[in-house]
Amino acid sequence: MKLRIRKGLFFWQLIDKSGTAVAKISKKKFIGASKKIYDGKGNLIYTTDIVNLPAKKGTWNYEESRKYVIYKDEKAIATANLHFAINPDRTMLQRLTLRPPLVDRMDVETIYGLLVVERQKNNGVTISQDGVQLGKVTPFFTFKPKYLEYIGQYEVTLWAGIYVLIEYMMHEDDMIFV
């Protein structure tokens, strides 16, 4: 199934080819990373959040420093672990020395098994399970419409939750100026 992701000011809609919104993502609070995921009828299905873990090292941004979580009824159903780019051709994209490393891969442990989300060189994303590609997201950071394409193996609201985790992943290396 191919869904267009239409981003509004405070929400996203996942729209099928007939133009019907099959899922909606909104902010849980005015500020903060938490999101709510609704089905096409407006029922709250999942929430997502970024969980910062206690520091183990001197640097703030490293593998296992934070996790992304999808909750259903306040119970974690998916947890994502981040893996940062280490090969030279990916880290050469980081032209600023102060910029944090890119998240290259994310392992999402779900109730359905392990999903592997990999960032491509064009800033698109592939989603696979047991070596089989289940979905992909068209490149981020372009002015073209964004699409989530997936095999209909799981419900659309779970895919919306995975999309939120991907949004978190793609913006993990954003610089925050205070």
Side-chain angles (χ1 to χ4, degrees):
M1 179 175 273
K2 187 173 185 177
L3 302 175
R4 181 171 183 201
I5 299 160
R6 184 180 295 156
K7 188 171 183 178
L9 192 57
F10 298 107
F11 66 92
W12 295 260
Q13 286 184 323
L14 280 70
I15 301 170
D16 65 10
K17 63 183 174 183
S18 69
T20 306
V22 293
K24 181 180 176 185
I25 303 164
S26 68
K27 291 185 172 227
K28 192 171 181 182
K29 297 180 182 177
F30 184 69
I31 58 173
S34 300
K35 307 279 188 287
K36 295 179 186 177
I37 300 166
Y38 299 92
D39 64 10
K41 297 176 183 174
N43 300 316
L44 177 65
I45 306 297
Y46 300 117
T47 58
T48 65
D49 204 357
I50 298 174
V51 178
N52 291 310
L53 302 174
K56 295 180 186 174
K57 298 182 182 178
T59 58
W60 67 272
N61 196 2
Y62 61 93
E63 290 183 26
E64 299 179 10
S65 66
R66 63 183 69 211
K67 290 185 184 287
Y68 306 151
V69 183
I70 300 173
Y71 298 99
K72 183 172 185 166
D73 301 325
E74 298 182 20
K75 191 187 244 183
I77 63 154
T79 305
N81 297 306
L82 311 178
H83 300 279
F84 292 94
I86 54 173
N87 57 8
D89 63 330
R90 292 293 292 149
T91 54
M92 286 181 71
L93 294 174
Q94 298 169 216
R95 305 236 186 262
L96 297 172
T97 56
L98 297 175
R99 185 174 180 182
L102 294 171
V103 176
D104 208 26
R105 193 179 97 226
M106 178 172 65
D107 294 336
V108 184
E109 298 170 25
T110 71
I111 56 175
Y112 304 111
L114 181 69
L115 298 175
V116 177
V117 177
E118 293 182 291
R119 182 184 211 148
Q120 305 301 307
K121 287 186 179 183
N122 68 352
N123 283 320
V125 175
T126 59
I127 306 155
S128 58
Q129 186 175 36
D130 298 326
V132 176
Q133 185 173 326
L134 298 180
K136 65 181 181 177
V137 178
T138 55
F140 282 71
F141 316 120
T142 66
F143 294 110
K144 296 179 181 178
K146 200 177 308 168
Y147 291 93
L148 167 63
E149 197 169 339
Y150 66 93
I151 297 172
Q153 190 167 347
Y154 307 120
E155 68 270 9
V156 69
T157 51
L158 180 65
W159 284 106
I162 299 297
Y163 175 76
V164 172
L165 300 186
I166 292 169
E167 276 275 340
Y168 293 157
M169 177 183 105
M170 296 304 282
H171 293 286
E172 180 71 24
D173 65 328
D174 289 354
M175 295 182 75
I176 301 170
F177 295 98
V178 181

PDB file of all heavy atoms in Angstrom, residues 2 10 54 56-57 61 67 75 77 86 89-90 105 116 136 138 141 152 154 158 162 168 171-172 178:
ATOM      1  N   LYS A   2       0.494   2.251  -0.719  1.00  0.00           N
ATOM      2  CA  LYS A   2       1.255   3.487  -0.814  1.00  0.00           C
ATOM      3  C   LYS A   2       0.428   4.610  -0.217  1.00  0.00           C
ATOM      4  O   LYS A   2      -0.686   4.866  -0.670  1.00  0.00           O
ATOM      5  CB  LYS A   2       1.605   3.779  -2.270  1.00  0.00           C
ATOM      6  CG  LYS A   2       2.536   4.939  -2.452  1.00  0.00           C
ATOM      7  CD  LYS A   2       2.963   5.053  -3.906  1.00  0.00           C
ATOM      8  CE  LYS A   2       3.996   6.137  -4.094  1.00  0.00           C
ATOM      9  NZ  LYS A   2       4.466   6.193  -5.483  1.00  0.00           N
ATOM     10  N   PHE A  10       0.503  21.216  12.987  1.00  0.00           N
ATOM     11  CA  PHE A  10       0.663  20.458  14.223  1.00  0.00           C
ATOM     12  C   PHE A  10       0.299  18.985  14.067  1.00  0.00           C
ATOM     13  O   PHE A  10       0.123  18.276  15.051  1.00  0.00           O
ATOM     14  CB  PHE A  10      -0.198  21.064  15.333  1.00  0.00           C
ATOM     15  CG  PHE A  10       0.184  22.473  15.669  1.00  0.00           C
ATOM     16  CD1 PHE A  10      -0.625  23.528  15.292  1.00  0.00           C
ATOM     17  CD2 PHE A  10       1.361  22.735  16.336  1.00  0.00           C
ATOM     18  CE1 PHE A  10      -0.284  24.830  15.588  1.00  0.00           C
ATOM     19  CE2 PHE A  10       1.718  24.031  16.640  1.00  0.00           C
ATOM     20  CZ  PHE A  10       0.904  25.090  16.263  1.00  0.00           C
ATOM     21  N   PRO A  54      19.974   7.292  31.199  1.00  0.00           N
ATOM     22  CA  PRO A  54      21.056   7.869  31.999  1.00  0.00           C
ATOM     23  C   PRO A  54      22.378   7.846  31.233  1.00  0.00           C
ATOM     24  O   PRO A  54      22.668   6.897  30.502  1.00  0.00           O
ATOM     25  CB  PRO A  54      21.128   6.953  33.218  1.00  0.00           C
ATOM     26  CG  PRO A  54      19.848   6.218  33.248  1.00  0.00           C
ATOM     27  CD  PRO A  54      19.336   6.162  31.844  1.00  0.00           C
ATOM     28  N   LYS A  56      26.070   7.294  30.170  1.00  0.00           N
ATOM     29  CA  LYS A  56      27.110   6.312  30.467  1.00  0.00           C
ATOM     30  C   LYS A  56      28.481   6.847  30.082  1.00  0.00           C
ATOM     31  O   LYS A  56      29.491   6.343  30.509  1.00  0.00           O
ATOM     32  CB  LYS A  56      26.850   5.024  29.684  1.00  0.00           C
ATOM     33  CG  LYS A  56      25.591   4.302  30.068  1.00  0.00           C
ATOM     34  CD  LYS A  56      25.438   3.054  29.238  1.00  0.00           C
ATOM     35  CE  LYS A  56      24.114   2.392  29.492  1.00  0.00           C
ATOM     36  NZ  LYS A  56      23.885   1.258  28.607  1.00  0.00           N
ATOM     37  N   LYS A  57      28.488   7.859  29.202  1.00  0.00           N
ATOM     38  CA  LYS A  57      29.738   8.403  28.686  1.00  0.00           C
ATOM     39  C   LYS A  57      29.706   9.915  28.809  1.00  0.00           C
ATOM     40  O   LYS A  57      28.695  10.499  29.154  1.00  0.00           O
ATOM     41  CB  LYS A  57      29.900   8.031  27.206  1.00  0.00           C
ATOM     42  CG  LYS A  57      29.966   6.553  26.942  1.00  0.00           C
ATOM     43  CD  LYS A  57      30.177   6.319  25.470  1.00  0.00           C
ATOM     44  CE  LYS A  57      30.207   4.826  25.177  1.00  0.00           C
ATOM     45  NZ  LYS A  57      30.353   4.562  23.763  1.00  0.00           N
ATOM     46  N   ASN A  61      25.402  12.244  22.855  1.00  0.00           N
ATOM     47  CA  ASN A  61      24.715  11.572  21.755  1.00  0.00           C
ATOM     48  C   ASN A  61      25.527  10.343  21.320  1.00  0.00           C
ATOM     49  O   ASN A  61      26.520  10.481  20.629  1.00  0.00           O
ATOM     50  CB  ASN A  61      24.547  12.551  20.598  1.00  0.00           C
ATOM     51  CG  ASN A  61      23.527  12.083  19.600  1.00  0.00           C
ATOM     52  OD1 ASN A  61      22.919  11.046  19.780  1.00  0.00           O
ATOM     53  ND2 ASN A  61      23.348  12.844  18.550  1.00  0.00           N
ATOM     54  N   LYS A  67      16.098   6.092  23.481  1.00  0.00           N
ATOM     55  CA  LYS A  67      15.294   5.103  22.759  1.00  0.00           C
ATOM     56  C   LYS A  67      14.015   5.782  22.299  1.00  0.00           C
ATOM     57  O   LYS A  67      13.546   6.725  22.919  1.00  0.00           O
ATOM     58  CB  LYS A  67      14.939   3.924  23.665  1.00  0.00           C
ATOM     59  CG  LYS A  67      16.115   3.042  24.017  1.00  0.00           C
ATOM     60  CD  LYS A  67      15.658   1.828  24.804  1.00  0.00           C
ATOM     61  CE  LYS A  67      16.812   0.986  25.252  1.00  0.00           C
ATOM     62  NZ  LYS A  67      17.447   0.222  24.227  1.00  0.00           N
ATOM     63  N   LYS A  75       1.515   0.859  27.507  1.00  0.00           N
ATOM     64  CA  LYS A  75       2.401  -0.302  27.535  1.00  0.00           C
ATOM     65  C   LYS A  75       3.255  -0.270  26.267  1.00  0.00           C
ATOM     66  O   LYS A  75       2.733  -0.105  25.163  1.00  0.00           O
ATOM     67  CB  LYS A  75       1.560  -1.572  27.562  1.00  0.00           C
ATOM     68  CG  LYS A  75       2.326  -2.826  27.862  1.00  0.00           C
ATOM     69  CD  LYS A  75       1.407  -4.016  27.692  1.00  0.00           C
ATOM     70  CE  LYS A  75       1.200  -4.746  28.971  1.00  0.00           C
ATOM     71  NZ  LYS A  75       0.371  -5.930  28.807  1.00  0.00           N
ATOM     72  N   ILE A  77       4.980  -1.261  23.064  1.00  0.00           N
ATOM     73  CA  ILE A  77       4.828  -2.356  22.100  1.00  0.00           C
ATOM     74  C   ILE A  77       5.959  -2.360  21.073  1.00  0.00           C
ATOM     75  O   ILE A  77       6.118  -3.318  20.341  1.00  0.00           O
ATOM     76  CB  ILE A  77       3.474  -2.313  21.376  1.00  0.00           C
ATOM     77  CG1 ILE A  77       3.333  -1.051  20.549  1.00  0.00           C
ATOM     78  CG2 ILE A  77       2.318  -2.470  22.345  1.00  0.00           C
ATOM     79  CD1 ILE A  77       2.396  -1.217  19.392  1.00  0.00           C
ATOM     80  N   ILE A  86      29.235   4.995  10.886  1.00  0.00           N
ATOM     81  CA  ILE A  86      30.660   4.896  11.192  1.00  0.00           C
ATOM     82  C   ILE A  86      31.513   4.738   9.950  1.00  0.00           C
ATOM     83  O   ILE A  86      32.709   4.941   9.999  1.00  0.00           O
ATOM     84  CB  ILE A  86      30.953   3.723  12.167  1.00  0.00           C
ATOM     85  CG1 ILE A  86      30.388   2.413  11.624  1.00  0.00           C
ATOM     86  CG2 ILE A  86      30.406   4.016  13.542  1.00  0.00           C
ATOM     87  CD1 ILE A  86      30.772   1.186  12.416  1.00  0.00           C
ATOM     88  N   ASP A  89      32.147   6.979   3.980  1.00  0.00           N
ATOM     89  CA  ASP A  89      31.329   7.663   2.972  1.00  0.00           C
ATOM     90  C   ASP A  89      30.072   8.281   3.572  1.00  0.00           C
ATOM     91  O   ASP A  89      29.542   9.244   3.055  1.00  0.00           O
ATOM     92  CB  ASP A  89      30.976   6.742   1.808  1.00  0.00           C
ATOM     93  CG  ASP A  89      30.125   5.560   2.213  1.00  0.00           C
ATOM     94  OD1 ASP A  89      30.263   5.118   3.361  1.00  0.00           O
ATOM     95  OD2 ASP A  89      29.341   5.075   1.380  1.00  0.00           O
ATOM     96  N   ARG A  90      29.570   7.767   4.692  1.00  0.00           N
ATOM     97  CA  ARG A  90      28.403   8.362   5.342  1.00  0.00           C
ATOM     98  C   ARG A  90      28.815   9.533   6.232  1.00  0.00           C
ATOM     99  O   ARG A  90      28.130  10.534   6.286  1.00  0.00           O
ATOM    100  CB  ARG A  90      27.666   7.327   6.195  1.00  0.00           C
ATOM    101  CG  ARG A  90      27.008   6.240   5.421  1.00  0.00           C
ATOM    102  CD  ARG A  90      25.863   6.732   4.580  1.00  0.00           C
ATOM    103  NE  ARG A  90      24.795   7.162   5.461  1.00  0.00           N
ATOM    104  CZ  ARG A  90      23.944   8.113   5.184  1.00  0.00           C
ATOM    105  NH1 ARG A  90      24.014   8.745   4.061  1.00  0.00           N
ATOM    106  NH2 ARG A  90      23.008   8.446   6.028  1.00  0.00           N
ATOM    107  N   ARG A 105      21.078   3.578  11.167  1.00  0.00           N
ATOM    108  CA  ARG A 105      20.183   2.424  11.248  1.00  0.00           C
ATOM    109  C   ARG A 105      19.461   2.445  12.589  1.00  0.00           C
ATOM    110  O   ARG A 105      19.985   2.941  13.581  1.00  0.00           O
ATOM    111  CB  ARG A 105      20.999   1.143  11.131  1.00  0.00           C
ATOM    112  CG  ARG A 105      20.135  -0.078  10.901  1.00  0.00           C
ATOM    113  CD  ARG A 105      20.942  -1.351  10.771  1.00  0.00           C
ATOM    114  NE  ARG A 105      20.933  -1.997  12.066  1.00  0.00           N
ATOM    115  CZ  ARG A 105      21.986  -2.505  12.673  1.00  0.00           C
ATOM    116  NH1 ARG A 105      23.168  -2.447  12.135  1.00  0.00           N
ATOM    117  NH2 ARG A 105      21.878  -3.069  13.840  1.00  0.00           N
ATOM    118  N   VAL A 116      14.159  -3.643  10.892  1.00  0.00           N
ATOM    119  CA  VAL A 116      15.402  -2.905  10.692  1.00  0.00           C
ATOM    120  C   VAL A 116      15.111  -1.745   9.749  1.00  0.00           C
ATOM    121  O   VAL A 116      14.661  -1.951   8.624  1.00  0.00           O
ATOM    122  CB  VAL A 116      16.513  -3.814  10.112  1.00  0.00           C
ATOM    123  CG1 VAL A 116      17.771  -3.011   9.848  1.00  0.00           C
ATOM    124  CG2 VAL A 116      16.793  -4.973  11.061  1.00  0.00           C
ATOM    125  N   LYS A 136       9.162   1.253   2.631  1.00  0.00           N
ATOM    126  CA  LYS A 136      10.148   2.313   2.410  1.00  0.00           C
ATOM    127  C   LYS A 136       9.454   3.656   2.520  1.00  0.00           C
ATOM    128  O   LYS A 136       8.242   3.772   2.366  1.00  0.00           O
ATOM    129  CB  LYS A 136      10.825   2.167   1.058  1.00  0.00           C
ATOM    130  CG  LYS A 136       9.921   2.337  -0.134  1.00  0.00           C
ATOM    131  CD  LYS A 136      10.690   2.137  -1.420  1.00  0.00           C
ATOM    132  CE  LYS A 136       9.772   2.323  -2.622  1.00  0.00           C
ATOM    133  NZ  LYS A 136      10.500   2.196  -3.871  1.00  0.00           N
ATOM    134  N   THR A 138       9.976   7.623   1.045  1.00  0.00           N
ATOM    135  CA  THR A 138      10.703   8.410   0.051  1.00  0.00           C
ATOM    136  C   THR A 138      11.613   9.406   0.766  1.00  0.00           C
ATOM    137  O   THR A 138      11.434   9.673   1.958  1.00  0.00           O
ATOM    138  CB  THR A 138       9.716   9.134  -0.883  1.00  0.00           C
ATOM    139  OG1 THR A 138       8.816   9.921  -0.101  1.00  0.00           O
ATOM    140  CG2 THR A 138       8.936   8.147  -1.735  1.00  0.00           C
ATOM    141  N   PHE A 141      13.806  15.690   3.475  1.00  0.00           N
ATOM    142  CA  PHE A 141      14.542  16.920   3.182  1.00  0.00           C
ATOM    143  C   PHE A 141      14.488  17.303   1.706  1.00  0.00           C
ATOM    144  O   PHE A 141      15.455  17.798   1.145  1.00  0.00           O
ATOM    145  CB  PHE A 141      15.991  16.836   3.680  1.00  0.00           C
ATOM    146  CG  PHE A 141      16.111  16.256   5.061  1.00  0.00           C
ATOM    147  CD1 PHE A 141      16.846  15.101   5.290  1.00  0.00           C
ATOM    148  CD2 PHE A 141      15.447  16.829   6.133  1.00  0.00           C
ATOM    149  CE1 PHE A 141      16.945  14.562   6.558  1.00  0.00           C
ATOM    150  CE2 PHE A 141      15.537  16.283   7.404  1.00  0.00           C
ATOM    151  CZ  PHE A 141      16.284  15.155   7.621  1.00  0.00           C
ATOM    152  N   GLY A 152       1.096  -4.809   3.201  1.00  0.00           N
ATOM    153  CA  GLY A 152      -0.006  -4.757   4.152  1.00  0.00           C
ATOM    154  C   GLY A 152       0.015  -5.815   5.232  1.00  0.00           C
ATOM    155  O   GLY A 152      -1.021  -6.363   5.565  1.00  0.00           O
ATOM    156  N   TYR A 154       0.944  -5.421   8.495  1.00  0.00           N
ATOM    157  CA  TYR A 154       0.525  -4.910   9.801  1.00  0.00           C
ATOM    158  C   TYR A 154      -0.501  -3.806   9.589  1.00  0.00           C
ATOM    159  O   TYR A 154      -0.622  -3.254   8.504  1.00  0.00           O
ATOM    160  CB  TYR A 154       1.725  -4.383  10.589  1.00  0.00           C
ATOM    161  CG  TYR A 154       2.844  -5.394  10.705  1.00  0.00           C
ATOM    162  CD1 TYR A 154       4.110  -5.120  10.204  1.00  0.00           C
ATOM    163  CD2 TYR A 154       2.632  -6.634  11.295  1.00  0.00           C
ATOM    164  CE1 TYR A 154       5.134  -6.047  10.295  1.00  0.00           C
ATOM    165  CE2 TYR A 154       3.644  -7.569  11.386  1.00  0.00           C
ATOM    166  CZ  TYR A 154       4.891  -7.269  10.886  1.00  0.00           C
ATOM    167  OH  TYR A 154       5.889  -8.194  10.979  1.00  0.00           O
ATOM    168  N   LEU A 158       0.065   1.039  13.046  1.00  0.00           N
ATOM    169  CA  LEU A 158       1.421   0.648  13.439  1.00  0.00           C
ATOM    170  C   LEU A 158       2.427   1.245  12.470  1.00  0.00           C
ATOM    171  O   LEU A 158       3.483   1.739  12.880  1.00  0.00           O
ATOM    172  CB  LEU A 158       1.578  -0.872  13.496  1.00  0.00           C
ATOM    173  CG  LEU A 158       2.983  -1.330  13.904  1.00  0.00           C
ATOM    174  CD1 LEU A 158       3.299  -0.908  15.334  1.00  0.00           C
ATOM    175  CD2 LEU A 158       3.152  -2.813  13.739  1.00  0.00           C
ATOM    176  N   ILE A 162       5.608   3.607  13.213  1.00  0.00           N
ATOM    177  CA  ILE A 162       6.956   3.398  12.681  1.00  0.00           C
ATOM    178  C   ILE A 162       7.419   4.652  11.951  1.00  0.00           C
ATOM    179  O   ILE A 162       8.572   5.069  12.073  1.00  0.00           O
ATOM    180  CB  ILE A 162       6.996   2.167  11.739  1.00  0.00           C
ATOM    181  CG1 ILE A 162       6.611   0.884  12.485  1.00  0.00           C
ATOM    182  CG2 ILE A 162       8.352   2.034  11.061  1.00  0.00           C
ATOM    183  CD1 ILE A 162       7.540   0.489  13.602  1.00  0.00           C
ATOM    184  N   TYR A 168      11.733  10.802  14.064  1.00  0.00           N
ATOM    185  CA  TYR A 168      12.670  11.039  15.163  1.00  0.00           C
ATOM    186  C   TYR A 168      14.099  10.741  14.708  1.00  0.00           C
ATOM    187  O   TYR A 168      15.020  11.506  14.969  1.00  0.00           O
ATOM    188  CB  TYR A 168      12.353  10.141  16.362  1.00  0.00           C
ATOM    189  CG  TYR A 168      11.067  10.388  17.102  1.00  0.00           C
ATOM    190  CD1 TYR A 168      10.503   9.367  17.859  1.00  0.00           C
ATOM    191  CD2 TYR A 168      10.406  11.610  17.073  1.00  0.00           C
ATOM    192  CE1 TYR A 168       9.337   9.559  18.574  1.00  0.00           C
ATOM    193  CE2 TYR A 168       9.225  11.803  17.788  1.00  0.00           C
ATOM    194  CZ  TYR A 168       8.701  10.776  18.540  1.00  0.00           C
ATOM    195  OH  TYR A 168       7.554  10.960  19.245  1.00  0.00           O
ATOM    196  N   HIS A 171      15.729  13.274  12.352  1.00  0.00           N
ATOM    197  CA  HIS A 171      16.022  14.576  12.962  1.00  0.00           C
ATOM    198  C   HIS A 171      16.904  14.460  14.201  1.00  0.00           C
ATOM    199  O   HIS A 171      17.113  15.447  14.895  1.00  0.00           O
ATOM    200  CB  HIS A 171      14.714  15.298  13.295  1.00  0.00           C
ATOM    201  CG  HIS A 171      13.948  15.681  12.074  1.00  0.00           C
ATOM    202  ND1 HIS A 171      14.324  16.719  11.258  1.00  0.00           N
ATOM    203  CD2 HIS A 171      12.848  15.135  11.507  1.00  0.00           C
ATOM    204  CE1 HIS A 171      13.486  16.821  10.241  1.00  0.00           C
ATOM    205  NE2 HIS A 171      12.581  15.860  10.359  1.00  0.00           N
ATOM    206  N   GLU A 172      17.434  13.282  14.465  1.00  0.00           N
ATOM    207  CA  GLU A 172      18.278  13.067  15.633  1.00  0.00           C
ATOM    208  C   GLU A 172      19.532  13.942  15.593  1.00  0.00           C
ATOM    209  O   GLU A 172      20.008  14.395  16.627  1.00  0.00           O
ATOM    210  CB  GLU A 172      18.674  11.588  15.729  1.00  0.00           C
ATOM    211  CG  GLU A 172      19.549  11.242  16.898  1.00  0.00           C
ATOM    212  CD  GLU A 172      18.835  11.284  18.235  1.00  0.00           C
ATOM    213  OE1 GLU A 172      17.606  11.134  18.272  1.00  0.00           O
ATOM    214  OE2 GLU A 172      19.521  11.463  19.255  1.00  0.00           O
ATOM    215  N   VAL A 178      20.353  27.536  21.339  1.00  0.00           N
ATOM    216  CA  VAL A 178      19.639  28.141  22.470  1.00  0.00           C
ATOM    217  C   VAL A 178      20.087  29.575  22.620  1.00  0.00           C
ATOM    218  O   VAL A 178      21.196  29.932  22.492  1.00  0.00           O
ATOM    219  CB  VAL A 178      19.918  27.355  23.763  1.00  0.00           C
ATOM    220  CG1 VAL A 178      19.181  27.950  24.921  1.00  0.00           C
ATOM    221  CG2 VAL A 178      19.566  25.912  23.582  1.00  0.00           C
TER     222      VAL A 178
END
